């Protein structure tokens, strides 16, 4: 009976809401919003704790039916076991957190209930990722350059009239990334000494930069404004 009373009281604390009273203003003291949230959190934690202890008791006693050497436990014993189990997990998590701080001192800072990397570490990782992506972009455009020059060598010095007329696989036209975007192409006639844009990236990477492949084989990184001017012939 006491266990049922505790569970019922805890449920009432978890789910009871504020009651609007008609008539004259009430003189009762209301909790602040933060205090109400904390009270609800504590009540919900107590409910889960009691339910976990009840479940432990049921499972243990069910197991004890098949293993007579196991003693039958009471709800108080289940509460104690749940409490000790929680302390053990808290100790393990604290050790993990301490080891992480020792391996990377100052790299983590508290952010609410969790931790996140400090700005310096985040900036370094972002910069490294951007550099790796730029390297991959250059490498992929260089592969397209090789494929186009091979097409010119096998087609009497002529570039493809359009992307569909290229003699190589369509995958060479795909930019790196998950967006499945194709490179832009500036169609031309036969190869000549005049240097002009040949292929270019679509501006999908958000860094305000584009890579442009020229007919002399150069790959240049320019701003979006410069890219528009170059591709429009200005």
């Amino acid at each position: 009976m006491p266990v049922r009373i505790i569970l019922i009281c805890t449920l009432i604390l978890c789910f009871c809401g504020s009651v609007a009273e008609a008539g004259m203003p009430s003189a009762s003291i209301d909790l602040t919003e933060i205090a109400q949230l904390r009270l609800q959190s504590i009540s919900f934690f107590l409910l889960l704790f009691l339910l976990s202890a009840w479940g432990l008791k049921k499972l243990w006693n069910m197991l004890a039916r098949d293993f007579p050497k196991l003693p039958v436990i009471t709800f108080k014993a289940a509460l104690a076991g749940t409490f000790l189990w929680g302390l053990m997990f808290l100790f393990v998590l604290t050790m993990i957190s301490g080891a992480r701080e020792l391996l990377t001192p100052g790299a983590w800072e508290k952010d609410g209930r969790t931790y996140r990397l400090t700005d310096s570490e985040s900036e370094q990782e972002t910069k490294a990722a951007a550099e790796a992506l730029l390297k991959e972009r250059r490498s992929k455009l260089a592969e397209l350059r090789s494929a186009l020059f091979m097409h010119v060598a096998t087609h009497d010095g002529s570039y493809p009239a359009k992307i569909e007329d290229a003699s190589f696989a369509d995958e060479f036209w795909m930019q790196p990334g998950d967006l499945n975007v194709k490179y832009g192409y500036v169609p031309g006639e036969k190869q000549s000494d005049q240097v002009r844009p040949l292929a270019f990236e679509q501006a999908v990477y958000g860094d305000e930069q584009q890579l442009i492949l020229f007919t002399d084989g150069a790959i240049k990184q320019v701003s979006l404004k410069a890219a528009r001017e170059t591709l429009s012939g200005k």
Side-chain angles (χ1 to χ4, degrees), residues 10 13-15 33-49 113:
T10 307
L13 288 175
C14 286
F15 299 108
E33 184 176 356
I34 296 178
Q36 289 178 0
L37 291 175
R38 289 180 177 176
L39 180 60
Q40 291 176 3
S41 299
I42 294 173
S43 302
F44 185 68
F45 170 78
L46 288 176
L47 175 63
L48 290 181
F49 181 76
R113 296 175 180 266

Side-chain angles (χ1 to χ4, degrees), residues 130-131 133-138 141 199-201 205-214 217-228 230:
E131 292 177 353
L133 178 59
L134 180 59
K135 184 177 179 181
E136 183 183 4
R137 289 161 57 185
R138 283 186 175 275
L141 193 55
F200 59 92
E201 285 183 335
Y205 297 107
D207 58 352
E208 302 298 323
Q209 300 290 323
Q210 277 183 272
L211 295 179
I212 300 179
L213 170 64
F214 291 84
I219 297 176
K220 297 182 180 180
Q221 179 181 354
V222 298
S223 64
L224 296 183
K225 181 179 179 181
R228 286 193 296 267
T230 300

Side-chain angles (χ1 to χ4, degrees), residues 12-33:
I12 292 174
L13 288 175
C14 286
F15 299 108
C16 66
S18 56
V19 179
E21 297 181 359
M24 296 298 293
S26 175
S28 61
I29 300 176
D30 294 330
L31 296 175
T32 63
E33 184 176 356

Side-chain angles (χ1 to χ4, degrees), residues 111-233:
D111 183 18
R113 296 175 180 266
T114 60
Y115 287 83
R116 66 179 179 87
L117 288 172
T118 57
D119 292 338
S120 59
E121 292 290 332
S122 300
E123 290 175 0
Q124 291 178 3
E125 288 193 354
T126 302
K127 184 178 179 180
E131 292 177 353
L133 178 59
L134 180 59
K135 184 177 179 181
E136 183 183 4
R137 289 161 57 185
R138 283 186 175 275
S139 176
K140 194 73 169 68
L141 193 55
E143 292 179 3
L144 177 61
R145 175 183 60 191
S146 300
L148 284 169
F149 286 0
M150 182 62 68
H151 178 95
V152 170
T154 56
H155 289 75
D156 195 22
S158 298
Y159 291 106
K162 53 186 178 180
I163 292 179
E164 291 76 10
D165 294 340
S167 60
F168 47 86
D170 192 58
E171 63 183 18
F172 285 94
W173 293 104
M174 304 304 297
Q175 295 183 200
D178 300 328
L179 299 177
N180 293 325
V181 178
K182 285 187 176 182
Y183 288 107
Y185 178 60
V186 183
E189 298 179 356
K190 288 184 177 293
Q191 191 175 24
S192 63
D193 295 334
Q194 182 181 3
V195 178
R196 63 172 183 82
L198 181 59
F200 59 92
E201 285 183 335
Q202 306 292 350
V204 296
Y205 297 107
D207 58 352
E208 302 298 323
Q209 300 290 323
Q210 277 183 272
L211 295 179
I212 300 179
L213 170 64
F214 291 84
T215 53
D216 62 348
I219 297 176
K220 297 182 180 180
Q221 179 181 354
V222 298
S223 64
L224 296 183
K225 181 179 179 181
R228 286 193 296 267
E229 294 176 353
T230 300
L231 295 172
S232 61

